Amino acid sequence: SQQGEEDPQALSIQEGENATMNCSYKTSINNLQWYRQNSGRGLVHLILIRSNEREKHSGRLRVTLDTSKKSSSLLITASRAADTASYFCATARKGSGYSTLTFGKGTMLLVSP
Amino acid sequence: EAGVVQSPRYKIIEKKQPVAFWCNPISGHNTLYWYRQNLGQGPELLIRYENEEAVDDSQLPKDRFSAERLKGVDSTLKIQPAELGDSAVYLCASSLWGEQLGALNTEAFFGQGTRLTVV
């Protein structure tokens, strides 16, 4: 079973534009993470936000978390063609010892030059 | 530092045949995961190990799938017999986690995966 649901399923933008992806989840979590997957490098961890945090930044990435709405968003600013990939949110749920990661179905991002 | 190593990268087998995948996690990581990823979907957990103990295998189809993690390091995942519906990418990941270790992050490091095609 999959915990998270990303929205939209696919997103197409031009280089330089911002990309926003959303994730909703169902159960209480310890933390939420975002991963990127492209054919060249497999799944790569991008950023982790804990349940007691509301916003986090890493380079061109900005993640927000709203535990009352059980949702998170990932913003990629000034996108580049190299950002083309699938993006997944993953949650570490309470009650699973925190260390089981459950992934959503992903958002496929296409950044055109 | 070497990442998570999986082999083989690709495997094509006929249905009803057995197949095995191997994973070498990052040195020192106590937690090892096997995920299955179907085309266009996110990874789905099959089994999670903490050291040599399987602590979450509720999604593992135990009639045909088996896994082991000897000495709490390398791991193998086996399917016997394989079915057409088993065609997918099998991903191994590892992390260092444990409240007693002071490691509360569950960031996982993934291998490149094994793409299985059952014909």
Side-chain angles (χ1 to χ4, degrees):
Chain A
S1 62
Q2 297 190 287
Q3 154 90 311
E5 288 280 341
E6 287 91 341
D7 171 61
Q9 290 187 340
L11 181 61
S12 182
I13 60 175
Q14 299 290 317
E15 263 191 331
E17 295 180 339
N18 295 340
T20 299
M21 289 159 267
N22 303 297
C23 169
S24 60
Y25 56 92
K26 299 174 184 174
T27 62
S28 295
I29 62 171
N30 182 48
N31 65 64
L32 185 144
Q33 305 175 36
W34 286 90
Y35 287 77
R36 179 179 65 205
Q37 185 177 41
N38 58 34
S39 58
R41 293 193 60 192
L43 264 164
V44 175
H45 179 267
L46 295 176
I47 193 166
L48 179 153
I49 186 166
R50 293 191 175 88
S51 59
N52 61 354
E53 298 176 314
R54 292 297 168 258
E55 187 171 314
K56 203 162 184 179
H57 296 254
S58 176
R60 294 184 295 112
L61 306 179
R62 172 177 169 257
V63 170
T64 62
L65 179 64
D66 187 335
T67 53
S68 67
K69 295 181 179 178
K70 291 185 168 61
S71 67
S72 173
S73 68
L74 171 68
L75 169 66
I76 304 174
T77 59
S79 62
R80 307 165 181 169
D83 294 328
T84 294
S86 290
Y87 292 81
F88 297 91
C89 68
T91 52
R93 291 175 294 164
K94 288 185 178 180
S96 66
Y98 301 142
S99 63
T100 288
L101 286 176
T102 305
F103 286 80
K105 294 183 178 181
T107 291
M108 189 178 302
L109 173 66
L110 174 62
V111 182
S112 301
Chain B
E1 178 183 323
V4 176
V5 179
Q6 289 187 247
S7 68
R9 287 292 310 277
Y10 305 92
K11 189 74 176 179
I12 301 174
I13 61 170
E14 294 183 344
K15 61 181 180 182
K16 301 184 182 180
Q17 294 302 306
V19 65
F21 315 122
W22 175 80
C23 173
N24 178 238
I26 291 175
S27 177
H29 280 189
N30 58 347
T31 303
L32 184 146
Y33 312 80
W34 283 102
Y35 286 89
R36 177 171 58 189
Q37 186 175 24
N38 292 307
L39 189 64
Q41 302 292 313
E44 294 188 326
L45 181 73
L46 291 174
I47 190 168
R48 169 169 67 93
Y49 283 92
E50 287 186 13
N51 299 307
E52 65 275 6
E53 182 183 1
V55 296
D56 186 350
D57 62 355
S58 57
Q59 301 300 315
L60 189 73
K62 298 181 182 64
D63 57 335
R64 298 183 300 106
F65 285 65
S66 64
E68 61 180 6
R69 190 183 184 195
L70 299 176
K71 300 181 181 178
V73 182
D74 292 1
S75 178
T76 56
L77 177 69
K78 298 178 181 178
I79 309 175
Q80 182 171 11
E83 298 178 352
L84 296 177
D86 296 331
S87 294
V89 176
Y90 290 82
L91 297 165
C92 179
S94 69
S95 67
L96 176 62
W97 179 84
E99 291 181 2
Q100 68 277 19
L101 300 175
L104 297 179
N105 288 339
T106 51
E107 171 189 350
F109 296 83
F110 282 81
Q112 292 284 72
T114 297
R115 183 177 298 277
L116 173 67
T117 302
V118 182
V119 298

